[in-house]
Amino acid sequence: MSSTEAPVLSCEGVELSFGGLKALKGITFSVQPGEILGLVGPNGSGKTTTVNVSTGFYRPNAGRVRLFGEDITGIKPDRIARRGVARTFQNLALFKGMSVLDNILIGRHIHMRPSALGTLFYWWWAQREELAQRRVVEDVIEFMQLQDIRDEPVEVIPLGLQKRVELARALVSEPKLLILDEPMAGMNQEEKEYIARFILDAREERGVTILIIEHHMDVVTAICDRAIVLCNGEIIAQGEPRAAIAEPAVIKAYLGERAARRVGMGDAA
Amino acid sequence: MFYRRSGIRHTRYQSERQLFPLGFDRFLILSVLAVLLAAPFLFDRLYVTGYLLPWLIWSSAALGLNLLMGGAGQVHLGYGAVMAMGAYGSVHLMRFGAPLELAMIAGGLISASVGIIFGAAALRVKGIYLAMATLAMQSIVDFVISQTPAISGGALATLQAPPARFLGISLSGERETYYFALLVCAVITLFMLNVRRTSFGRALAAIREKDYAAEILGISTLRYKLMAFWVSSFIGGVVGSVLAICYLRAVSPDQFHLDLSIQILAMVIVGGLGSVLGPFFGAALVLFAPILINNALGSAFSTFGMTVPIDLRAHLPLVAYGALVIGFLLYEPYGLAKIYSNVRTYLLVWPFRHAQR
């Protein structure tokens, strides 16, 4: 595999089961450099599990996961993060009791050299690094338009902003691959449009490749270059988003047999 | 109003990230420091060596435990054992002729290297199970110390701490000892204050709050849990040696039993988990509340002419003290430091009502 055109992330026949439940039944797909890939599917179809395998939280029973052509199967999440992967979580995973600013600063962890002695001798050892990283963080705060809430405790701001802070925390680590797990869950139309804009801008200005799990089909068709549809741990359709979600197998998975037949006959527009 | 914020405009990140951006906070901390520095000249020597000195030492220990419990969210029920290792290590080294500076650091290193072994338990178990694992550590260390004559000099033996000099100054006098404890406490406090604004402290907090989110940000939970145990045990060891050399001046195994661990744990919890101010409040309450309650009850009994049986008289202060701790946990789970911060928040915007935080 040539390293220049290697896919950012590729899963090859990934299988995973929890006890008797086969959560992933041989998933094979790849994320190409610079694309926004949508991962959709009904509840329990294995989307988050796929992401968890790709980021090292689960070790697959079979199959390989590659990042830029390098095998990362079974490597711990913190190692994978250092190879340029960042992600957000379906249920917010912000650090409570800390300010928005500190939450985003944690995102710079892999670019810093934390030490206890450096903490004791802050003025001589750590200050310069802290302030340098602060500048990078401020760039992202500006990019995500979080200036006016940067000193707020993260638990008091509204959900829409919390999601934005989490996205900022992921972006600030300067990832090559950004994985977003339902970044728009529970949001109103306006907040969704904001996030969609930030995702497109992130690719445009920062050159990140994005894998996004999303339930809002309007968002998927609007911002994704490609979509992969999962159902019961299998890929049932993939390709251009509009075409992929219109396939009979997908309609059947979401709406049932009858709806799929009606669409097949050209009943529903 | 009192904590004036108007007119403070930061133009550099450096000034925004300073420890106390508000002028009034700086004023408060400097006045407290000034009083502590002048204490040997202001107060009776009984108060300085009987109250202030133990308060400083116990506060330092509580700060060390708070790094682990409040900072990294790991329970530790064997902090007394950690201090015991530092105390015995440094006393033995000094008996061999090592200078205090070296013995203190070595005591810290001994505690840290044993503490990290028990910290390894934290990688596998959490919460109540970790509490049990560290409790086991307490018992094991207690047992090893008292049953190894080479360490304790026999189960009931007391080991004298040799006379110590710090940077050429003899610590035999009470004033010198007090200033030495104050210095150690100040260094530990500075460290704890800085923890809140460095990547090290943020990594610990991330593990405390959500370890899976910390991992995908590149923070190895394994590494940082061990580091938290290492640093906290190091502080415990250093404070243990200060306790032995400055305050107890002789060590025996029973001084570092579970009682001490629970006492320091209570200081951390009553004072306020994760706060730097908390351990100071907590130590003051835990050390002095029983004495104050005892005195208050004693004078109450005598003024009202009540005859109270002697055993009831002995236990009532403990009961009242226990009720006090339970009351704090019920009504202010974040401890005394939170009460202070509530007052501060109120005064921050007084006479207006609504504070941002």
Side-chain angles (χ1 to χ4, degrees), chain B residues 16 21 35 54 58-59 92-93 100 106 122 172-173 194 200 204 234 238 271 274 277 290 294 298 309 316 348:
Chain B
E16 196 206 353
V35 170
W58 261 263
S59 298
H92 272 290
L93 278 169
L100 171 64
S172 52
N194 279 334
F200 173 68
L204 296 188
F234 181 81
V238 169
L277 194 58
N294 195 8
L316 262 183
L348 208 54

Side-chain angles (χ1 to χ4, degrees), chain A residues 102 130 134 138 151-152, chain B residues 13 16-17 199 356-357:
Chain A
D102 281 337
E130 286 288 329
R134 176 70 186 272
E138 286 294 332
D151 291 324
E152 300 291 324
Chain B
Y13 296 136
E16 196 206 353
R17 288 302 252 193
S199 46
Q356 270 282 287
R357 20 172 180 156

Side-chain angles (χ1 to χ4, degrees), chain B residues 1-6 22 24 340-357:
Chain B
M1 171 71 190
F2 294 101
Y3 297 80
R4 246 191 147 76
R5 276 196 296 189
S6 60
L22 297 192
F24 191 73
Y340 170 74
S341 116
N342 287 346
V343 172
R344 183 178 178 276
T345 310
Y346 178 80
L347 292 178
L348 208 54
V349 290
W350 185 88
F352 303 108
R353 292 292 293 280
H354 296 288
Q356 270 282 287
R357 20 172 180 156

Side-chain angles (χ1 to χ4, degrees), chain A residues 129-222:
Chain A
E129 185 186 44
E130 286 288 329
L131 298 183
Q133 301 299 340
R134 176 70 186 272
R135 296 218 163 79
V136 183
V137 167
E138 286 294 332
D139 281 345
V140 172
I141 286 180
E142 195 172 39
F143 173 72
M144 298 293 292
Q145 298 170 21
L146 295 166
Q147 297 96 329
D148 52 337
I149 56 158
R150 64 159 91 75
D151 291 324
E152 300 291 324
V154 80
E155 61 268 25
V156 305
I157 60 175
L159 176 81
L161 286 178
Q162 288 180 338
K163 287 262 183 189
R164 216 193 279 179
V165 172
E166 203 185 9
L167 184 52
R169 188 181 69 187
L171 267 181
V172 82
S173 68
E174 293 171 17
K176 298 185 196 105
L177 172 65
L178 179 60
I179 302 179
L180 305 172
D181 196 346
E182 297 198 26
M184 299 177 204
M187 289 200 169
N188 63 32
Q189 189 62 29
E190 191 191 342
E191 289 169 329
K192 270 160 63 183
E193 282 169 12
Y194 257 105
I195 295 281
R197 178 51 57 193
F198 287 129
I199 292 171
L200 289 171
D201 284 351
R203 172 171 68 169
E204 212 66 26
E205 291 179 22
R206 303 183 156 255
V208 279
T209 304
I210 295 166
L211 173 62
I212 174 171
I213 297 181
E214 191 45 68
H215 275 303
H216 297 102
M217 289 305 164
D218 51 341
V219 175
V220 174
T221 52

Side-chain angles (χ1 to χ4, degrees), chain B:
Chain B
M1 171 71 190
F2 294 101
Y3 297 80
R4 246 191 147 76
R5 276 196 296 189
S6 60
I8 300 176
R9 287 190 188 80
H10 301 291
T11 50
R12 294 187 311 161
Y13 296 136
Q14 194 175 343
S15 73
E16 196 206 353
R17 288 302 252 193
Q18 62 185 306
L19 288 176
F20 303 103
L22 297 192
F24 191 73
D25 281 331
R26 281 199 295 272
F27 168 73
L28 267 187
I29 208 93
L30 286 178
S31 354
V32 171
L33 197 62
V35 170
L36 284 176
L37 279 174
F41 304 98
L42 292 178
F43 307 121
D44 192 68
R45 49 177 286 271
L46 187 74
Y47 287 102
V48 175
T49 48
Y51 294 92
L52 278 181
L53 180 64
W55 177 63
L56 285 175
I57 295 174
W58 261 263
S59 298
S60 312
L63 278 170
L65 180 60
N66 207 4
L67 174 72
L68 190 61
M69 290 192 54
Q74 308 296 311
V75 191
H76 200 316
L77 286 187
Y79 211 64
V82 171
M83 290 170 71
M85 290 183 289
Y88 272 97
S90 56
V91 166
H92 272 290
L93 278 169
M94 286 183 66
R95 287 167 75 97
F96 281 120
L100 171 64
E101 298 87 349
L102 206 71
M104 208 167 70
I105 303 290
L109 289 175
I110 293 169
S111 294
S113 41
V114 179
I116 203 171
I117 298 173
F118 289 89
L123 304 175
R124 305 199 62 93
V125 293
K126 286 181 183 172
I128 196 91
Y129 302 100
L130 180 60
M132 291 309 291
T134 49
L135 193 61
M137 167 191 191
Q138 173 79 46
S139 312
I140 294 169
V141 172
D142 279 353
F143 181 81
V144 169
I145 286 179
S146 64
Q147 299 301 317
T148 315
I151 300 176
S152 61
L156 296 169
T158 302
L159 212 59
Q160 289 292 327
R165 303 177 72 83
F166 183 70
L167 301 178
I169 302 161
S170 166
L171 293 183
S172 52
E174 279 160 2
R175 269 184 198 164
E176 291 82 359
T177 317
Y178 170 78
Y179 282 121
F180 174 63
L182 183 61
L183 175 73
V184 172
C185 185
V187 170
I188 295 173
T189 309
L190 264 187
F191 172 75
M192 293 298 291
L193 285 170
N194 279 334
V195 160
R196 297 190 298 184
R197 54 175 184 171
T198 59
S199 46
F200 173 68
R202 285 194 297 271
L204 296 188
I207 287 171
R208 174 191 71 208
E209 291 299 328
K210 289 199 173 62
D211 48 2
Y212 58 93
E215 291 233 322
I216 198 60
L217 292 168
I219 301 167
S220 161
T221 45
L222 180 132
R223 187 185 155 87
Y224 280 92
K225 275 184 185 173
L226 287 182
M227 255 173 108
F229 270 91
W230 204 94
V231 176
S232 171
S233 304
F234 181 81
I235 295 175
V238 169
V239 177
S241 60
V242 173
L243 177 69
I245 289 158
C246 293
Y247 186 66
L248 304 173
R249 294 190 187 268
V251 283
S252 62
D254 58 314
Q255 287 161 330
F256 298 98
H257 276 177
L258 186 61
D259 302 2
L260 181 65
S261 301
I262 299 291
Q263 202 182 26
I264 294 169
L265 185 77
M267 288 172 186
V268 170
I269 292 174
V270 172
L273 274 175
S275 114
V276 179
L277 194 58
F280 290 96
F281 285 151
L285 187 91
V286 171
L287 287 179
F288 306 136
I291 302 173
L292 289 177
I293 294 170
N294 195 8
N295 290 348
L297 284 178
S299 60
F301 291 149
S302 56
T303 43
F304 293 110
M306 287 188 288
T307 47
V308 183
I310 190 76
D311 50 345
L312 183 62
R313 174 83 170 71
H315 288 121
L316 262 183
L318 287 177
V319 173
Y321 164 66
L324 198 67
V325 171
I326 291 173
F328 270 121
L329 293 184
L330 276 179
Y331 295 107
E332 195 47 270
Y334 293 104
L336 292 162
K338 177 68 177 164
I339 295 179
Y340 170 74
S341 116
N342 287 346
V343 172
R344 183 178 178 276
T345 310
Y346 178 80
L347 292 178
L348 208 54
V349 290
W350 185 88
F352 303 108
R353 292 292 293 280
H354 296 288
Q356 270 282 287
R357 20 172 180 156

